[in-house]
Amino acid sequence: MSEHETGRRTRPPAVSVRGLEKRYGEGDDAVVAVDGVDLTVESGTVVGLLGPNGAGKTTVIKSILSLILPDSGTVEIDGFDTYEETRAIHQRVGATLEGARNTYWRLTVAENVEHFAALGGNDPTERREFHEELLERFSLTAKADEPVRHLSRGEKQKAALACTMAREPEIVFLDEPTLGLDVEASLDLRSSIRTFVEERGMTVLVSSHDMEVVEAVCDRVVILSGGEVVADDTVESLLSGFSAQAYEVVVEGTVPDPTERELRDQFEADAFEHRAGRTRFDAQVTDDAFYDLVATLREAGVVVRSVDSTDPDMEEVFLQITQRAEGRREVSP
């Protein structure tokens, strides 16, 4: 029996972006920031939006939030058109944007939290227990009555994050959320994001250069390069796709300079380290080239002691994907 026949309606994606394009400037001086981006974020998931500087991440986020008007394309949040039903989407979203003053610095931390809850149509007195929980979660309880302008950079960032969550929006956009946070605060943020998603059904789109955070909290990752989507997959799939390409090699003695240069050129070898009569290095090879790597060492008279595959992290995967995308653009007409 179809969903139409049962009268049920499939919930639309939390975020749906189709054919998004944005250029800055005109003529030969125009800069393409976003070029035909498609992006879907399902409700109750955490999606990481990654890319090198200038890849178009901030333009995509601001377009979704209707802070920028794209040249073409459509954006829907929970089924509402971002540009035609702005009021409806702003009732559903919260955002902490990099480089933006996300709080009122003359107000105290507690006053900011109450203010942003009220902007969402909530009665702060009815949310007091939740707000106290937020301040505790972000280690701001002792700073509740302190004006934000007196806080450290990291504390200001945590206050902004607490304000974003204060009215419990359905969908949250976090642009570089760990900026200015120390290691402990960053770990707390990871835990908080997963808690909000799993316990409150929140949807999160996070853009960050902190790959450890992305790997720890995201269900899926979308990578941009040159304004285009060059990868869109689960974290697990992205990591497993590169698991057989990274190797740690240990050899007896030293590697002759000509051989080291060949290893660097052909197998992206690096991190050469000589210790206790042995040399270790890392190499990036495909399965087919693995035996070529071993043969290169043997032909140079180098005795191989061990070759171990290493599990890549998100930073390695990100660099390989973006470098390949850049290489393709360089050779395309």
Side-chain angles (χ1 to χ4, degrees):
M1 183 178 293
S2 70
E3 291 181 342
H4 177 73
E5 291 173 330
T6 60
R8 289 181 291 144
R9 172 179 174 269
T10 302
R11 182 174 180 178
V15 179
S16 177
V17 177
R18 292 291 175 268
L20 193 70
E21 296 185 1
K22 180 64 179 179
R23 284 177 168 78
Y24 294 101
E26 297 181 358
D28 295 337
D29 296 327
V31 175
V32 179
V34 178
D35 189 10
V37 166
D38 293 335
L39 170 65
T40 301
V41 181
E42 298 296 342
S43 296
T45 64
V46 184
V47 173
L49 184 63
L50 310 182
N53 291 333
K57 304 185 300 297
T58 299
T59 297
V60 169
I61 290 176
K62 289 187 175 181
S63 295
I64 294 173
L65 293 171
S66 72
L67 300 176
I68 289 178
L69 185 64
D71 298 322
S72 62
T74 62
V75 179
E76 292 185 351
I77 290 182
D78 202 19
F80 294 93
D81 188 291
T82 295
Y83 310 111
E84 294 182 359
E85 301 170 281
T86 304
R87 184 182 181 90
I89 70 107
H90 283 174
Q91 291 175 340
R92 288 167 165 76
V93 304
T96 300
L97 302 180
E98 180 191 5
R101 185 173 289 188
N102 295 288
T103 56
Y104 292 97
W105 284 13
R106 293 184 180 275
L107 298 180
T108 68
V109 174
E111 288 170 342
N112 265 286
V113 170
E114 292 176 358
H115 173 73
F116 282 94
L119 285 180
N122 300 305
D123 183 349
T125 60
E126 296 179 357
R127 298 292 180 104
R128 184 161 293 136
E129 184 176 342
F130 175 60
H131 293 167
E132 290 175 354
E133 177 189 331
L134 276 177
L135 296 182
E136 182 177 355
R137 182 175 292 279
F138 289 110
S139 303
L140 290 170
T141 301
K143 302 286 185 177
D145 298 323
E146 191 81 20
V148 170
R149 69 177 184 271
H150 293 163
L151 303 181
S152 68
R153 181 183 182 186
E155 290 169 339
K156 288 174 181 174
Q157 180 74 350
K158 289 191 288 186
L161 292 166
C163 290
T164 298
M165 304 296 188
R167 59 188 179 88
E168 298 184 81
E170 298 175 20
I171 308 165
V172 173
F173 297 81
L174 302 177
D175 192 6
E176 297 295 348
T178 59
L179 195 66
L181 299 185
D182 57 27
V183 174
E184 184 177 357
S186 180
L187 290 172
D188 288 343
L189 175 64
R190 301 182 203 180
S191 174
S192 297
I193 290 175
R194 291 309 315 183
T195 297
F196 286 125
V197 171
E198 293 165 8
E199 295 183 2
R200 299 178 182 274
M202 191 176 288
T203 303
V204 180
L205 178 65
V206 56
S207 173
S208 178
H209 285 92
D210 189 335
M211 297 299 166
E212 291 185 0
V213 169
V214 170
E215 188 172 342
V217 306
C218 292
D219 302 303
R220 208 175 94 244
V221 170
V222 176
I223 300 178
L224 297 179
S225 180
E228 300 176 335
V229 174
V230 294
D232 182 350
D233 210 335
T234 64
V235 171
E236 182 180 357
S237 293
L238 286 172
L239 292 175
S240 65
F242 288 82
S243 60
Q245 295 182 320
Y247 292 91
E248 179 185 79
V249 183
V250 177
V251 301
E252 280 291 338
T254 60
V255 178
D257 289 343
T259 304
E260 180 176 328
R261 287 194 294 270
E262 184 177 356
L263 293 172
R264 290 182 182 276
D265 290 342
Q266 293 190 19
F267 307 105
E268 301 181 39
D270 61 5
F272 282 83
E273 179 182 354
H274 184 67
R275 182 181 299 176
R278 294 185 176 186
T279 301
R280 69 157 301 281
F281 61 89
D282 298 327
Q284 303 288 331
V285 298
T286 62
D287 290 337
D288 292 340
F290 174 78
Y291 295 104
D292 294 334
L293 169 66
V294 175
T296 298
L297 291 168
R298 287 177 175 169
E299 288 172 5
V302 177
V303 178
V304 178
R305 287 302 177 190
S306 65
V307 179
D308 297 312
S309 62
T310 59
D311 293 329
D313 57 23
M314 185 52 65
E315 183 172 1
E316 292 176 272
V317 171
F318 169 78
L319 288 173
Q320 289 198 42
I321 289 175
T322 53
Q323 287 169 359
R324 289 177 183 177
E326 184 177 343
R328 288 195 295 268
R329 287 197 299 274
E330 290 177 351
V331 300
S332 63

